Each structure stands twice: as C-alpha cells, then as structure tokens.
Amino acid sequence: MERVGVLNVQGAVREHADHLRRVGSEVVLVKHPEDLQVIDGLIIPGGESTTIGKLIRKYELYDGIRERIEDGMPVFGTCAGLILLAKKIEGSDEAHLAVMDTVVDRNSFGRQRESFEANLPISEIDGEAFPCVFIRAPHIVSAGSDVSVLATYGEKIVAARQGNRLATAFHPELSDDLRMHAYFLDMVRGSSQPD
Ligand code: GLN
C-alpha cells in the first residue's frame, strides 16, 4: 500500500490524513527528516505559509523535501502549501521550496471574502463541480508553459499541476468530497510504477 506523508508542522493536518485513509492510503505524519525516507508522496497542508516555511527549516526538513520532489516524488500543496511550492511570491524577495513554475499572490480574495465556498469544475476530476473551500486563499497569478491549469475562479488560477507537483488554492480536505485526494493517490501510484 502506498504511504503518503502529511507535513505535520502546522495547519490542517488531521483532515488531510483522514481523507487519505478514506481513499485507501497509509498515512505518515512527517515531522523529522527520516520520515521523508518512508513516503511515496507528500501533502503540504494549509496554514500560514511564513510559519510553515520557517518550521521546515527549523526541523531540517527543507532540503530533504526539495530533493525528494526534484527526484519525482508527487507533492500536493493546498492553500499555504501552494505558496510553499511556488517559485515566486508577489511582493516578496524570497520563495520557500520554489519547485513549481508559478508566481503566487497571497490573500488574494480581500477581507470581505476571508472564507467562502464555490463549486468549480476541475479538469482531470470527473463528474460534478468540486466544492472548493477558500480560507484567506492565495491564487496563481501566472504559470510556466509546462504547468497545466486545472481550475480557475474568475480570472484567477486556483488549481494546477506541473508533472509530479499538484497545487490548489482551496482546501479539499475541508469538504466531504474525496476526489482530489483520490486523484493525488493516483499520481502517487503512477510514480511508484516502473517505467
Ligand atoms: N493566507 C495564508 C498564507 O499566506 C494561507 C491560508 C491558508 O492556508 N488557509 O499562508
């Protein structure tokens, strides 16, 4: 059975772990560098990106996470996790993991829209629109040519994939819909097959 890690330094960890178990994955909560050796994929949850960025350095996870992603391990960043993956954060000179060819804007939806839900079609996800929960959400402002846009809200890109890297501005772990987690588990299964 595939083992998917959930970065366990801050944010919506338990909800991701529950969704992963419900789609048939084993779950490893990742807090120490050695945890990275036993996982086939990693979810970086929502929370506060500046805090998560500091903590992955403090816990000496930063290099190991980057290496595994560069080596092809599937990663799924949600909300703050999408910010962690981006190569550039608007208004900031520093990025975090910088493994996804995206430019992101934080807190893109304004104060009055701190949190809201929208049903959005997501390419790659069959069936009805997905219930997307946004909480002080970022969005992807622009993306490189090998990034596929999976969903938009108005003009804003809110879900995208670049090879083994998947990112959503919304929180799929906070709705009862398991399809995004099932999709990510399919990515993990694909990556563990021989070429
Ligand atoms: N606004 C947060 C940040 O910039 C992300 C919010 C979230 O993950 N729910 O890190």
Side-chain angles (χ1 to χ4, degrees):
M1 193 194 270
E2 284 69 24
R3 282 186 182 168
V4 177
V6 181
L7 184 65
N8 183 27
V9 297
Q10 196 233 13
V13 175
R14 185 171 46 83
E15 293 84 351
H16 273 300
D18 287 348
H19 273 44
L20 282 169
R21 289 190 189 103
R22 286 169 68 192
V23 296
S25 174
E26 205 177 304
V27 176
V28 176
L29 300 183
V30 171
K31 199 161 193 170
H32 306 285
E34 56 270 27
D35 300 331
L36 294 168
Q37 306 309 317
V38 299
I39 56 173
D40 306 306
L42 177 68
I43 290 184
I44 303 178
E48 217 287 311
S49 54
T50 311
T51 306
I52 297 173
K54 279 187 189 140
L55 290 175
I56 59 176
R57 289 171 176 90
K58 181 174 167 193
Y59 297 145
E60 296 177 355
L61 292 165
Y62 180 90
D63 291 334
I65 292 174
R66 281 209 77 207
E67 275 162 28
R68 293 256 12 226
I69 296 170
E70 298 287 0
D71 282 351
M73 180 186 72
V75 63
F76 182 13
T78 62
C79 202
L82 167 146
I83 299 169
L84 267 287
L85 295 178
K87 73 163 191 214
K88 173 146 182 53
I89 303 165
E90 282 208 329
S92 167
D93 290 337
E94 278 184 43
H96 297 287
L97 293 164
V99 290
M100 197 163 172
D101 192 7
T102 50
V103 178
V104 301
D105 193 11
R106 296 176 64 192
N107 306 316
S108 321
F109 293 92
R111 280 179 148 257
Q112 59 280 58
R113 307 222 64 178
E114 280 233 312
S115 134
F116 62 100
E117 194 170 327
N119 291 317
L120 301 177
I122 300 179
S123 55
E124 308 271 322
I125 304 287
D126 291 337
E128 62 204 34
F130 193 90
C132 301
V133 177
F134 293 88
I135 304 169
R136 291 185 300 284
H139 80 284
I140 296 173
V141 179
S142 62
S145 55
D146 54 351
V147 177
S148 309
V149 173
L150 304 185
T152 52
Y153 182 78
E155 301 285 293
K156 296 179 163 138
I157 301 169
V158 294
R161 177 172 173 182
Q162 180 182 10
N164 60 326
R165 300 133 215 226
L166 177 67
T168 62
F170 53 87
H171 289 259
E173 79 287 7
L174 296 183
S175 75
D176 207 36
D177 196 315
L178 300 174
R179 287 177 293 165
M180 283 302 308
H181 288 77
Y183 177 72
F184 182 60
L185 187 58
D186 280 348
M187 283 173 61
V188 174
R189 289 191 172 129
S191 82
S192 51
Q193 278 163 16
D195 286 331

